[in-house]
Amino acid sequence: MAAFSKYLTARNSTLAGAALLLLCLLHKRRRALGLHGKKNGKPPLQNNEKEGKKERAVVDKVFLLRLTQILKIMVPRTFCKETGYLVLIAVMLVSRTYCDVWMIQNGTLIERAFTYYKMGNLDNRIANPDQLLTQDVEKFCNSVVDLYSNLSKPFLDIVLYIFKLTSAIGAQGPASMMAYLVVSGLFLTRLRRPIGKMTVTEQKYEGEYRYVNSRLITNSEEIAFYNGNKREKQTIHSVFRKLVEHLHNFILFRFSMGFIDSIIAKYLATVVGYLVVSRPFLDLSHPRHVKSTHSELLEDYYQSGRMLLRMSQALGRIVLAGREMTRLAGFTARITELMQVLKDLNQGKYERTMVSQQERGIEEGTQVIPLIPGAGEIFNADNIIKFDHVPLATPNGDILIRDLNFEVRSGANVLICGPNGCGKSSLFRVLGELWPLFGGRLTKPERGKLFYVPQRPYMTLGTLRDQVIYPDGREDQKRKGISDLVLKEYLDNVQLGHILEREGGWDSVQDWMDVLSGGEKQRMAMARLFYHKPQFAILDECTSAVSVDVEGYIYSHCRKVGITLFTVSHRKSLWKHHEYYLHMDGRGNYEFKQITEDTVEFGS
């Protein structure tokens, strides 16, 4: 259906309908002029014989009357071929619209699955999943379609010609050709065996090349600051050279196989066909030819020879189709792997290289904790976050904290601190259900009541309004009853009210990742937080580019509207806005305590 929708576009359908109606109109016009000329006994007037001024063409009542008269010529009766064409075009347009709706409904399912993140971060069985989801799936579909078209017609020809030839020269001829097909097919299949593996390798190298290019685009500014253009150039050239060398060997192998295929499937098949069909005619005592004249023998020979030639050509096409089938086997292996991984991810099963913990346990002599993704329990409850004997571990198997226990109620802000790699971001990924729970029990609000604000906020494609209400749309905003005036108050609260006038209003569309500065993007993310009003919010160094006074106002406003905060920051100025602190030392230890006057503040 997707392939049908690709060619059945509104533009193509409209052009086809317009061309059809125009041809009908010209045909009717030519007949009318011919009849008029015969009736008057003179040829029709030419353009240079027309008199009078040209009337001005406008859309009015006269135009509608003229159009009605012309339409009567184009569609002379209710039931005619022109009406059938119009109905056919209408059906095609409705079918295309239905295909578009089907594609939208099924294509947007990925928005709620979030499976792509799990495939890339929680499971390492598939490298470069974007290559699989786009290029490999498309090539697999095209290969299946081509294979069907290349096999259906030859199979039909073989069945018909076997029936005809069996009655003409006996079953020995078709049986010999089928035997040749089996032998040559097995021989060529054996030779083509490396194509499947080489196809998989080709898609793998293409994915790696796409990845290094997209990575360069994403981190171009940092690379420019480091003056790392030469190093990145070497990396890209290395990956590109590996891809080119493989493609060179693959193309050379396919060229060699094409040469062998042509000899076996075309030329030898034709020779075998003529040899088989000529044997009954070389035997003069054959019962079929005893009473036949010389001309009848020639007619029978040429007829049988041409049918057997067509049959041999059909057999040759089937043999050559085996080449595409071998290539299809490579795509099938990749797609099957993708389907299996997606099925496992949807069932909560993850596979990743988990050797770090075991090796460390053997070296240090410590007890190894069995890690089973999804072994923990998650309970949804409002106004509370509680970790009850939860091991904090990465999907790769590294245990950051063996047994995490603490409880936070709404209204009590928590400051999270510790060195890099201690598990701060890992804690948030578990809270956001991006990482699996390896044990214990986690009590938390549902995902819609938890909001994450990263250090580098994401700016979506769309209008200025979309930046504030993301991931909601305009309809969601209306359903919540939040007006643009309220959105303006959110911007004013974070000192971004001038953005509205500077960028041309709420419906202005810009590349917001480039238009907004680092501090403006962080404040825009805080305005987005005010709009959603979650029960809990996770602030991951999200005010590092914001001044202290604006930062203080943001925390005060969050407390005022009832948003409980988990903050990752090294600023001492933020301690006064929190009731508890969670400190991780990076060696598997942690402490969760209430902030008092005697608490020693650390940071900058």
Side-chain angles (χ1 to χ4, degrees):
M1 183 173 288
F4 176 73
S5 177
K6 180 172 70 173
Y7 297 103
L8 187 56
T9 63
R11 180 174 180 271
N12 291 343
S13 301
T14 304
L15 290 176
L20 179 64
L21 293 177
L22 181 60
L23 290 175
C24 293
L25 179 61
L26 292 176
H27 179 68
K28 297 286 185 181
R29 179 68 174 173
R30 188 179 297 111
R31 291 182 59 188
L33 290 176
L35 293 175
H36 180 72
K38 291 179 180 180
K39 182 177 180 180
N40 296 334
K42 60 180 180 178
L45 294 176
Q46 301 298 322
N47 290 335
N48 55 3
E49 297 178 15
K50 294 181 180 179
E51 298 180 355
K53 296 182 178 179
K54 293 184 178 179
E55 297 183 6
R56 184 179 179 183
V58 293
V59 180
D60 54 6
K61 184 178 180 180
V62 177
F63 161 75
L64 295 178
L65 292 175
R66 291 174 176 174
L67 181 61
T68 303
Q69 294 175 355
I70 297 176
L71 286 177
K72 290 180 180 179
I73 300 175
M74 297 170 63
V75 186
R77 295 183 304 278
T78 303
F79 298 100
C80 59
K81 63 179 182 180
E82 288 80 6
T83 305
Y85 294 147
L86 290 176
V87 173
L88 179 60
I89 293 174
V91 171
M92 295 169 68
L93 292 175
V94 172
S95 301
R96 181 186 182 277
T97 303
Y98 173 76
C99 292
D100 291 339
V101 172
W102 185 88
M103 289 293 294
I104 291 173
Q105 291 176 345
N106 290 272
T108 52
L109 292 177
I110 194 173
E111 301 296 333
R112 71 179 184 185
F114 214 54
T115 307
Y116 182 83
Y117 175 87
K118 296 179 181 179
M119 191 189 305
N121 295 272
L122 306 184
D123 195 292
N124 64 352
R125 281 177 288 177
I126 292 181
N128 306 312
D130 56 334
Q131 171 79 14
L132 250 176
L133 291 170
T134 55
Q135 300 294 321
D136 290 11
V137 171
E138 181 180 0
K139 292 180 179 179
F140 170 80
C141 295
N142 293 335
S143 183
V144 170
V145 172
D146 293 340
L147 188 65
Y148 174 77
S149 61
N150 291 334
L151 287 180
S152 57
K153 178 63 166 57
F155 269 122
L156 179 62
D157 291 345
I158 290 175
V159 172
L160 293 177
Y161 288 132
I162 285 179
F163 175 76
K164 290 290 185 179
L165 287 172
T166 301
S167 60
I169 61 175
Q172 183 179 3
S176 301
M177 291 302 302
M178 295 301 298
Y180 177 79
L181 169 65
V182 173
V183 173
S184 60
L186 292 175
F187 176 71
L188 292 177
T189 301
R190 177 68 179 178
L191 293 182
R192 297 193 194 107
R193 184 171 295 180
I195 292 181
K197 183 178 180 181
M198 297 177 79
T199 301
V200 173
T201 305
E202 176 188 352
Q203 301 308 308
K204 177 184 175 183
Y205 287 168
E206 284 186 3
E208 291 179 359
Y209 184 63
R210 286 162 54 93
Y211 170 72
V212 295
N213 280 277
S214 62
R215 181 174 173 272
L216 176 64
I217 295 173
T218 303
N219 304 283
S220 57
E221 185 176 12
E222 290 82 356
I223 294 172
F225 277 125
Y226 279 110
N227 197 22
N229 55 316
K230 293 184 179 179
R231 179 67 180 84
E232 297 300 324
K233 181 180 179 181
Q234 293 176 357
T235 302
I236 292 180
H237 280 192
S238 175
V239 177
F240 181 70
R241 192 179 304 112
K242 184 167 59 174
L243 173 62
V244 170
E245 290 178 356
H246 175 75
L247 289 177
H248 178 269
N249 295 332
F250 194 11
I251 293 173
L252 182 61
F253 180 80
R254 292 173 63 185
F255 173 78
S256 302
M257 282 303 306
F259 181 75
I260 298 176
D261 288 342
S262 298
I263 293 178
I264 294 179
K266 293 182 179 180
Y267 303 111
L268 285 183
T270 304
V271 172
V272 172
Y274 276 115
L275 178 62
V276 169
V277 77
S278 61
R279 290 189 61 187
F281 295 94
L282 296 178
D283 186 8
L284 298 179
S285 62
H286 195 279
R288 178 181 177 84
H289 307 135
V290 172
K291 298 181 179 180
S292 299
T293 62
H294 182 71
S295 59
E296 291 175 343
L297 284 176
L298 286 178
E299 178 186 2
D300 197 4
Y301 173 76
Y302 280 114
Q303 185 179 17
S304 301
R306 288 176 181 176
M307 285 194 294
L308 200 57
L309 178 61
R310 294 290 186 271
M311 180 180 173
S312 64
Q313 291 175 350
L315 292 174
R317 287 196 297 271
I318 291 180
V319 172
L320 293 178
R323 178 173 55 193
E324 291 300 322
M325 189 175 298
T326 307
R327 185 171 173 81
L328 177 62
F331 294 128
T332 304
R334 297 267 292 178
I335 301 301
T336 304
E337 182 184 13
L338 172 65
M339 295 173 60
Q340 183 61 44
V341 171
L342 292 177
K343 180 180 179 181
D344 292 344
L345 293 178
N346 291 328
Q347 295 176 353
K349 300 178 182 178
Y350 311 102
E351 291 186 16
R352 197 175 180 94
T353 307
M354 304 176 70
V355 298
S356 302
Q357 180 204 177
Q358 286 77 0
E359 293 179 353
R360 189 179 299 111
I362 295 174
E363 293 175 359
E364 299 178 359
T366 58
Q367 182 181 1
V368 176
I369 299 177
L371 296 179
I372 303 176
E377 298 177 302
I378 298 179
F379 292 89
N380 291 329
D382 290 337
N383 302 314
I384 183 175
I385 290 180
K386 182 178 180 181
F387 284 81
D388 188 9
H389 299 290
V390 174
L392 190 60
T394 67
N396 196 46
D398 294 322
I399 293 184
L400 305 174
I401 296 178
R402 304 174 70 86
D403 191 14
L404 184 61
N405 295 276
F406 71 88
E407 178 181 335
V408 177
R409 296 277 179 175
S410 289
N413 293 342
V414 180
L415 181 68
I416 301 178
C417 49
N420 292 334
C422 66
K424 301 187 295 294
S425 298
S426 302
L427 176 69
F428 300 151
R429 292 186 179 109
V430 172
L431 273 176
E433 301 181 30
L434 300 181
W435 282 8
L437 201 64
F438 290 97
R441 176 172 177 167
L442 172 61
T443 305
K444 56 181 284 295
E446 58 187 21
R447 291 187 62 180
K449 299 177 181 179
L450 254 172
F451 202 78
Y452 178 70
V453 183
Q455 183 177 5
R456 298 176 61 183
Y458 172 70
M459 297 290 111
T460 185
L461 298 175
T463 64
L464 179 61
R465 181 187 296 103
D466 294 333
Q467 311 312 310
V468 180
I469 67 177
Y470 181 82
D472 284 357
R474 184 69 185 276
E475 297 300 323
D476 299 315
Q477 177 192 349
K478 292 180 179 178
R479 187 169 56 252
K480 291 181 178 180
I482 300 178
S483 64
D484 289 346
L485 291 177
V486 178
L487 297 184
K488 176 65 165 55
E489 293 179 6
Y490 295 152
L491 293 181
D492 291 335
N493 291 338
V494 294
Q495 299 185 5
L496 278 182
H498 63 283
I499 292 288
L500 189 60
E501 182 178 356
R502 187 187 77 185
E503 301 300 335
W506 288 113
D507 296 320
S508 174
V509 178
Q510 304 282 354
D511 187 356
W512 300 108
M513 291 296 291
D514 293 333
V515 170
L516 301 180
S517 64
E520 289 175 339
K521 283 185 282 192
Q522 289 189 348
R523 282 180 280 167
M524 182 67 73
M526 299 309 298
R528 189 181 295 169
L529 173 64
F530 297 158
Y531 165 80
H532 287 283
K533 291 186 178 67
Q535 293 182 7
F536 291 89
I538 300 169
L539 310 183
D540 190 359
E541 294 280 4
C542 65
T543 59
S544 58
V546 176
S547 60
V548 177
D549 58 334
V550 175
E551 184 180 60
Y553 178 83
I554 289 173
Y555 277 86
S556 300
H557 186 77
C558 287
R559 187 180 296 276
K560 179 181 177 181
V561 298
I563 302 175
T564 303
L565 302 176
F566 279 74
T567 304
V568 175
S569 180
H570 299 286
R571 285 187 177 183
K572 285 186 177 181
S573 59
L574 292 180
W575 282 74
K576 60 185 178 183
H577 299 292
H578 298 80
E579 285 69 39
Y580 294 90
Y581 75 90
L582 175 63
H583 178 259
M584 305 175 181
D585 63 0
R587 295 187 294 271
N589 304 314
Y590 74 97
E591 59 178 1
F592 179 77
K593 292 184 177 180
Q594 187 175 3
I595 298 176
T596 62
E597 295 180 354
D598 300 330
T599 301
V600 178
E601 300 177 355
F602 45 87
S604 57

